[in-house]
Amino acid sequence: TGINFDKYDENIVEVSGLDCPTTIMSFADIDMAHTLTVNIAKAGYSKPTPVQKYSIPIILAGRDLMACAQTGSGKTAAFLVPVVAQMMRDGVTASSFKEQQEPECIITAPTRELVNQIFLEARKFVHGFQLKGEGRVHVKSRVYSKQAIWAASVTQWELEFKLMISLRNVKYLVLDEADRMLDMGFGLEMKKLISFPHMPQKDKRQTLMFSATFPEEVQRDREQREREIALQDFRSGRC
Ligand code: ADP
Ligand code: MG
């Protein structure tokens, strides 16, 4: 791809949050199915990029994550590798893989092209993964255009969405290029998706947000939350 990943090793990565899991130095540090190790090697990934070193163990620890790293730094695998590793470890429930009408992982991205790139990458990582006697994991891509969403009334859009897939089984919700989705006016849709009927509550799913920059309003929310956590800790005598 022409990207010199070695130079990224010098990049300073800032991590904040409570009890941050330690970074991985190599893909071999991940406890994952042999199939995934093979697929990562086949993709030509010999070592993780910085955003992967930090994001992968955080996601594997079951935490929510907001990660910000420059374009071309390997954000796609930063969420796909741990999500696929956990799916392979836990097994995918029959209803979620059969027709893929009740997916366990939903990934959103702002453009058709990006959706397709993520789809192709995801297919590489799940390749050859067999569920015990039940078939393979399916990866599907669907494109909802912004125009279509705006053109439809809220109820029609919800109906369309409801008919196509059910969100009751979602364990991983990934918002890729979250900054661009906001810039393109998808903010309302992102909020609607998160609070969609049957979408599991925050504590029943992992929410993973990736972008190249962090929009001010997201940053403001984060700072607000950190202040609230600090206040709670203070009140409960933890610090
Ligand atoms: P981003 O989403 O951060 O813009 P991508 O996930 O699209 O970046 O990755 C950019 C390119 O780097 C892709 O071609 C991808 O296959 C490649 N890549 C990602 N991670 C690695 C890695 N660990 N080793 C080598 N190439 C990688
Ligand atoms: Mg990307």
Side-chain angles (χ1 to χ4, degrees):
T1 59
I3 296 170
N4 176 7
F5 284 109
D6 288 334
K7 80 175 188 323
Y8 281 131
D9 282 338
E10 293 145 29
N11 282 12
I12 295 164
V13 179
E14 192 196 318
V15 185
S16 67
L18 300 170
D19 299 330
C20 293
T22 45
T23 58
I24 53 158
M25 295 315 289
S26 138
F27 285 117
D29 295 340
I30 311 171
D31 180 18
M32 59 183 163
H34 180 66
T35 315
L36 185 54
T37 309
V38 171
N39 292 345
I40 291 171
K42 272 195 200 155
Y45 296 6
S46 52
K47 62 175 191 167
T49 66
V51 68
Q52 294 165 359
K53 283 182 189 167
Y54 286 82
S55 302
I56 292 173
I58 292 173
I59 299 172
L60 287 174
R63 308 281 291 267
D64 286 346
L65 171 75
M66 252 169 49
C68 177
Q70 70 194 81
T71 302
S73 57
K75 293 190 286 296
T76 322
F79 59 80
L80 283 179
V81 166
V83 166
V84 171
Q86 293 190 102
M87 283 181 158
M88 288 185 177
R89 185 199 60 202
D90 299 340
V92 181
T93 51
S95 63
S96 66
F97 87 87
K98 250 185 195 149
E99 296 298 329
Q100 203 66 8
Q101 297 302 303
E102 293 188 354
E104 290 199 2
C105 175
I106 293 267
I107 302 163
T108 66
T111 66
R112 181 183 294 265
E113 191 196 341
L114 279 164
V115 168
N116 203 41
Q117 278 173 19
I118 299 166
F119 166 68
L120 294 175
E121 190 96 334
R123 226 174 37 175
K124 271 197 281 189
F125 288 130
V126 303
H127 180 78
F129 174 52
Q130 290 279 194
L131 287 160
K132 283 182 217 97
E134 297 193 86
R136 289 169 190 279
V137 174
H138 293 261
V139 180
K140 281 194 179 172
S141 93
R142 285 208 182 92
V143 174
Y144 297 92
S145 81
K146 186 184 166 203
Q147 283 77 9
I149 292 169
W150 286 131
S153 74
V154 172
T155 38
Q156 273 172 336
W157 182 68
E158 285 180 355
L159 264 180
E160 182 194 18
F161 208 91
K162 241 185 246 167
L163 286 175
M164 289 185 178
I165 50 171
S166 154
L167 302 179
R168 76 179 72 239
N169 236 343
V170 171
K171 290 187 181 147
Y172 311 98
L173 172 64
V174 185
L175 306 169
D176 194 20
E177 303 236 4
D179 51 349
R180 274 182 70 196
M181 288 201 281
L182 286 177
D183 285 347
M184 289 167 73
F186 278 117
L188 193 62
E189 273 61 41
M190 287 160 77
K191 280 189 181 145
K192 269 197 248 165
L193 180 65
I194 289 168
S195 54
F196 215 74
H198 307 304
M199 169 68 87
Q201 295 294 307
K202 278 204 293 251
D203 57 337
K204 296 272 181 336
R205 64 168 149 88
Q206 270 180 272
T207 308
L208 312 170
M209 221 161 133
F210 284 80
S211 74
T213 63
F214 260 110
E216 243 178 68
E217 63 180 276
V218 174
Q219 185 69 21
R220 249 199 333 266
D221 283 355
R222 188 187 99 167
E223 282 164 7
Q224 170 86 25
R225 255 199 319 278
E226 282 178 352
R227 270 197 301 275
E228 281 165 12
I229 290 171
L231 197 64
Q232 273 171 17
D233 282 353
F234 179 72
R235 284 194 179 133
S236 63
R238 264 180 286 178
C239 69

